[in-house]
Amino acid sequence: YTNYSISIWDYLQQRDRLTQQETLKLLAQLSGVKLPKGEINTEEYIAYKNKAKLWEDVNSYLLNNLTKPEAKAVNSYLKKRGYTAEDIKALELGFINSQDKLKKYLKGLGYSQDEIAEIKLHTGIGESHTLTIPLREPSGNILGLSVRNIDYKEGDKAGKYIYSTGLSKTDKLFNLRPFKTKKSIVLVEGLLDCLLASARGVENIVALGGKSLNIKQLNTAIKYGVEQIIICLDNEEGTIDNIYRAIELIRDNSEVKIYVAQLPDKIKDTDELIRTKG
């Protein structure tokens, strides 16, 4: 498994000829994790593990798609934004222009129709929205996709991003991780702003996926151990109102410390700041 050809779960299970239950108990023992009392629902865990693998195969297909001629417009868009090949790889950006082709690819890997049906994508994904971004939970597993319309114009009905079914941008802060030491986050608007910062080594930037903070996002941040929030929203008309609303929400519902970062003049967002200023 050191060459990423097999997971540590499968490696130990095969090496010691263990059942799923025995493998879970061994990993818990090795990592010092105390399991809940009572029997573990092995079937639920296997289903969770299989779906995680399915999403990884979906993501691999989308990443490879970005190298194909059909992705010319998306690649031009990313180049215009100033992303390097290393940035694109680190951001895990992909391309989808046909849900049918994706399903055919998964069928070729041996997935059943029922398994493929687990990947629920809205109609606009693969049509108006083609630039894919995997949304990962703190453990690293992919929960679903956020797909961007690279030709988005203010007021478009479908919005800048479409999320795969079951995901909502209002529930979580994108890229939020549990904190062990550093407990400060920088709050930005866009997913790409957040991803580029991470690709360049700044790990505590999280994205709203929109323009305003809500109580669900705040409560999740507190649950993850956040003690300080630095608000750094886009440098545009109307932002000041969104900043005041965020301050009021945080102040009225928590003891979290609040700071506001001001972007330089003529710099729209953190993405542009990083690309132009380093």
Side-chain angles (χ1 to χ4, degrees), residues 102-249:
L102 170 61
K103 291 174 183 177
K104 184 177 179 181
Y105 168 80
L106 293 173
K107 188 176 181 180
L109 293 181
Y111 286 104
S112 68
Q113 287 298 117
D114 287 343
E115 288 172 320
I116 295 171
E118 289 291 312
I119 304 299
K120 298 179 176 68
L121 303 178
H122 291 287
T123 306
I125 295 177
E127 295 179 6
S128 57
H129 293 64
T130 54
L131 176 62
T132 63
I133 304 168
L135 301 182
R136 295 184 179 274
E137 61 182 337
S139 67
N141 289 329
I142 297 175
L143 289 169
L145 298 174
S146 176
V147 190
R148 177 170 176 139
N149 179 356
I150 62 170
D151 297 317
Y152 172 77
K153 293 178 179 60
E154 198 68 39
D156 283 356
K157 189 175 180 180
K160 188 182 292 185
Y161 293 96
I162 294 179
Y163 291 77
S164 51
T165 305
L167 290 181
S168 170
K169 69 179 182 181
T170 62
D171 291 345
K172 296 182 179 69
L173 292 169
F174 179 71
N175 203 43
L176 183 65
R177 300 284 187 270
F179 287 86
K180 293 180 180 178
T181 53
K182 195 171 185 180
K183 298 184 177 182
S184 172
I185 58 172
V186 180
L187 199 61
V188 301
E189 292 185 23
L191 274 59
L192 291 176
D193 300 16
C194 176
L195 285 168
L196 183 62
S198 293
R200 300 286 178 91
V202 185
E203 292 297 335
N204 66 327
I205 294 192
V206 301
L208 292 168
K211 296 184 179 296
S212 57
L213 179 70
N214 65 57
I215 190 64
K216 284 186 178 180
Q217 292 171 328
L218 175 62
N219 287 339
T220 303
I222 294 168
K223 179 182 175 182
Y224 277 40
V226 171
E227 296 177 352
Q228 176 177 293
I229 294 177
I230 302 165
I231 302 170
C232 187
L233 304 186
D234 288 2
N235 196 1
E236 60 187 8
E237 188 178 352
T239 290
I240 190 67
D241 295 329
N242 295 328
I243 291 173
Y244 278 127
R245 276 193 288 270
I247 291 172
E248 185 176 2
L249 180 72

Side-chain angles (χ1 to χ4, degrees), residues 10-11 34 99 136 225:
D10 292 336
Y11 169 76
K34 187 176 180 180
Q99 292 189 30
R136 295 184 179 274

